[in-house]
Amino acid sequence: NDDVHECELNKFDEIMGHLTRNVDGLAQIVAVDERFDLFSRAWCVAEMVEADRSGIQQTIQIHSIDAVDRNYANLATLDVLNCRASREEDKHFILQRIQDIEAFNSNLQCLIFGEEGLLKDCVDAVELSRIFGKVVRRALTRSVDIVVRSATHPVIALDEMFTRGAASHPRMS
């Protein structure tokens, strides 16, 4: 379809919101091909970030740990601006709906590599710390608000932690 409005690409956020409100136990399964091409598609990464933002439980199905290792460098440098779409108009439409590209990219990295991220079982602790440091550095240099996900405290805003200190944060006590 050549018209974004006719193909209803513009209704995605509304549909996700409707499903979240009306379907108990809604979950998203992210099925990834061996080359991780899914992460090069603007629509796919936008859908994953929106599902995460909406609180939809997400799980990932991968080909193998070796596939993660082979594609790690591309995932670690993933930028929605470099993603593709079937039509240039679709990519433009998706990108114009993202208010802050840097925040989107930071959230995408947390979604993939964070403590509760999609690849949490595929990345060792040392690498996880390096990734987290990179995301925090990126956030601090650009004054971007990002969130930290943990098992005991689902969402903690980093700006609150740095401003008030982690120990005094109500969700950390």
Side-chain angles (χ1 to χ4, degrees):
N1 193 337
D2 290 338
D3 185 352
V4 154
H5 298 286
E6 285 183 26
C7 74
E8 298 193 11
L9 182 67
N10 63 333
K11 304 286 189 275
F12 173 72
D13 297 344
E14 293 172 28
I15 291 170
M16 292 285 282
H18 172 77
L19 290 172
T20 302
R21 289 186 303 277
N22 295 296
V23 177
D24 290 335
L26 178 67
Q28 180 183 51
I29 298 174
V30 180
V32 183
D33 60 290
E34 188 173 3
R35 293 187 327 228
F36 281 65
D37 286 336
L38 172 104
F39 290 96
S40 69
R41 308 295 300 172
W43 178 247
C44 295
V45 296
E47 181 178 318
M48 287 186 290
V49 169
E50 179 60 26
D52 181 61
R53 189 193 67 73
S54 298
I56 296 172
Q57 180 184 344
Q58 296 170 299
T59 58
I60 191 167
Q61 294 295 313
I62 59 171
H63 180 269
S64 65
I65 296 296
D66 288 338
V68 173
D69 292 341
R70 282 191 303 275
N71 294 285
Y72 178 82
N74 290 335
L75 291 173
T77 58
L78 190 59
D79 184 332
V80 69
L81 292 174
N82 298 327
C83 289
R84 301 183 319 266
S86 297
R87 298 176 323 125
E88 193 59 36
E89 297 86 8
D90 292 346
K91 180 178 177 179
H92 177 73
F93 178 78
I94 292 164
L95 292 175
Q96 78 179 20
R97 294 181 62 116
I98 299 172
Q99 293 179 5
D100 184 335
I101 297 292
E102 292 299 325
F104 180 94
N105 286 334
S106 292
N107 288 334
L108 181 58
Q109 289 294 310
C110 285
L111 172 62
I112 296 169
F113 294 114
E115 185 177 323
E116 293 299 317
L118 293 170
L119 295 178
K120 67 183 175 288
D121 297 329
C122 301
V123 180
D124 66 29
V126 172
E127 187 60 21
L128 190 61
S129 296
R130 190 186 72 70
I131 293 164
F132 182 72
K134 181 178 176 181
V135 170
V136 169
R137 190 174 337 106
R138 185 184 297 166
L140 292 175
T141 59
R142 293 185 177 93
S143 300
V144 175
D145 291 339
I146 62 173
V147 295
V148 177
R149 301 174 199 306
S150 76
T152 55
H153 307 287
V155 178
I156 301 168
L158 279 181
D159 64 333
E160 292 178 51
M161 286 177 54
F162 288 120
T163 305
R164 297 166 56 186
S168 65
H169 194 284
R171 287 182 254 171
M172 297 295 284
S173 335

